[in-house]
Amino acid sequence: MLRRLLPFFLLLIFTSCIDPVDTDLSTQRKHLVVEGYFTNEASLNFVRLSYSQPHSSPYNEFEEKAIVTVTSNEGEWYQFFYDKAGYYYPSTFGKATGVPGRTYTLNVTVGDQLYQSESVVMREPIAIDSVQFEVAEQTFAFPGEREQQLLPGYNVLVDYEDPAEEKTFLRWSFATQYEVRTQPQDYIHPFTGLPAPKECCTQCFLEENLEQLKVIDDRLTNGKKVLRQNVLFMPFEKYLGVKNKLTLYQHSISEDAYNFFRILEQQKLATGTVFDPPPAEVKGNITSVNNENEQVIGFFDVSGVSIRQVTILRNDIDYPFAPFRYPDDCEVMKGATRVIPEGW
């Protein structure tokens, strides 16, 4: 999901402009940043609390001692407990799920300060009817890398039926499990520059949440069958070199959430030129109950989710591309494991 992108883009929106500004960074105030998601799928529900930092600060600051709850208009009450890196997860993990049609509110207490979201109705999920793929080329930067490169890969396309009864707003999130094969026998020692082959290991498995800022409305498709909606690009390199299990989550979101994520998407695509539109004001839905003048950054997103999982095999891809190159033990890759996933 947006776990690393959200604080950065929110600060960018509040501070960006083309003309340089003479600012004393040492006097910048920090603000609470809230990123919260609550759905009908327990594994997607979490809250993250951090603080906006001056540009000169090399570290992230997280709130670790908050009391975090989600309540509903039906009297439901779910408490979230701190894990690490600012993340809070519900204590009743398998049972903390929303019900479409009910209204949910996020409550965060930090010390003697109470922060609260607007109450949000969970919308009915819209089913994904089918998933298709088409070969494409796109600029892409792998997680942890800044440099983008033009890569071949798959556009992931979905079909669904848009309901005519009401306005529809959708966003997508993704989780992937994939297998990689590396070349530890080609390892080069970083200090000597000489070959230093390793005996292990060539086969590993990884899991990632693919972060996208893709939202749409049904202004042009209300009540129609939507075909081949492009929701994701996956490069062949690394992700599709052997086997990939891709899980798609289609979120039915509120209009406020649509406007919030649409602005973030626009900021991500901006190139920083004079031709870019001026940064739009982003309006979160979280406020301080004790101090109405306190600026709180972030959003509590409540959505009804439909899920579709597909498996992609390298042997089924009718397109020539070079094997993934990683001349080292595959276990060195962040998050890699040699344990074969259940059901692989």
Side-chain angles (χ1 to χ4, degrees), residues 37-54:
Y37 300 93
F38 197 72
T39 73
N40 55 314
E41 172 61 33
S43 63
L44 301 178
N45 299 340
F46 72 90
V47 175
R48 194 183 197 194
L49 303 177
S50 59
Y51 290 96
S52 62
Q53 294 287 88

Side-chain angles (χ1 to χ4, degrees), residues 30-33 49-53 60-63 110:
K30 67 179 184 181
H31 302 282
L32 182 66
V33 179
L49 303 177
S50 59
Y51 290 96
S52 62
Q53 294 287 88
N60 293 323
E61 181 180 352
F62 302 111
E63 176 54 60
V110 180

Side-chain angles (χ1 to χ4, degrees), residues 236-297:
F236 293 136
E237 182 180 338
K238 183 180 177 182
Y239 290 117
L240 298 171
V242 184
K243 180 178 180 179
N244 188 302
K245 281 189 176 182
L246 176 66
T247 304
L248 298 88
Y249 302 98
Q250 184 166 275
H251 301 252
S252 295
I253 61 176
S254 67
E255 185 171 4
D256 286 344
Y258 166 77
N259 290 326
F260 180 84
F261 289 113
R262 179 177 55 84
I263 292 173
L264 294 187
E265 182 180 16
Q266 290 173 348
Q267 293 299 321
K268 179 184 178 183
L269 297 175
T271 59
T273 72
V274 293
F275 299 105
D276 289 336
E281 179 184 2
V282 60
K283 293 183 179 180
N285 63 353
I286 300 169
T287 57
S288 170
V289 175
N290 306 87
N291 181 6
E292 62 180 14
N293 295 320
E294 180 179 355
Q295 183 183 37
V296 184
I297 303 172

Side-chain angles (χ1 to χ4, degrees), residues 192-212:
T192 66
L194 299 175
K198 296 183 179 181
E199 295 184 0
C200 188
C201 296
T202 62
Q203 181 190 40
C204 282
F205 303 88
L206 297 97
E207 296 184 7
E208 284 184 30
N209 292 315
L210 303 180
E211 296 169 336
Q212 299 287 312

Side-chain angles (χ1 to χ4, degrees), residues 48 61 116 139 188 257 301 307:
R48 194 183 197 194
E61 181 180 352
Q116 196 169 68
T139 54
I188 302 296
D301 180 32
I307 304 172

Side-chain angles (χ1 to χ4, degrees), residues 79 141 311:
Q79 185 165 3
T311 299

Side-chain angles (χ1 to χ4, degrees), residues 56-215:
S56 57
S57 174
Y59 304 107
N60 293 323
E61 181 180 352
F62 302 111
E63 176 54 60
E64 303 177 357
K65 298 180 179 180
I67 300 173
V68 179
T69 63
V70 171
T71 54
S72 82
N73 62 329
E74 295 291 329
E76 298 162 297
W77 186 88
Y78 302 109
Q79 185 165 3
F80 288 57
F81 290 90
Y82 185 73
D83 181 28
K84 59 183 177 181
Y87 288 103
Y88 291 74
Y89 296 100
S91 56
T92 53
F93 181 74
K95 298 179 181 179
T97 58
V99 177
R102 296 183 183 178
T103 301
Y104 295 92
T105 305
L106 173 66
N107 312 277
V108 176
T109 301
V110 180
D112 59 357
Q113 299 296 307
L114 173 62
Y115 303 91
Q116 196 169 68
S117 74
E118 296 175 4
S119 296
V120 185
V121 176
M122 181 174 291
R123 296 192 164 209
E124 287 288 342
I126 297 175
I128 300 173
D129 294 333
S130 64
V131 180
Q132 301 145 55
F133 306 95
E134 67 176 9
V135 175
E137 284 191 344
Q138 186 170 313
T139 54
F140 186 89
F142 289 100
E145 298 181 4
R146 292 187 176 182
E147 182 179 354
Q148 292 195 342
Q149 50 187 321
L150 184 65
L151 295 172
Y154 265 157
N155 280 335
V156 181
L157 316 169
V158 299
D159 298 345
Y160 60 90
E161 191 81 36
D162 185 88
E165 298 78 20
E166 60 181 14
K167 290 183 179 179
T168 300
F169 304 94
L170 296 175
R171 73 171 179 88
W172 288 267
S173 61
F174 311 89
T176 180
Q177 286 184 318
Y178 58 99
E179 181 179 344
V180 295
R181 301 290 175 86
T182 65
Q183 305 80 34
Q185 70 278 5
D186 296 333
Y187 180 71
I188 302 296
H189 197 283
F191 298 115
T192 66
L194 299 175
K198 296 183 179 181
E199 295 184 0
C200 188
C201 296
T202 62
Q203 181 190 40
C204 282
F205 303 88
L206 297 97
E207 296 184 7
E208 284 184 30
N209 292 315
L210 303 180
E211 296 169 336
Q212 299 287 312
L213 291 173
K214 179 72 175 181
V215 294

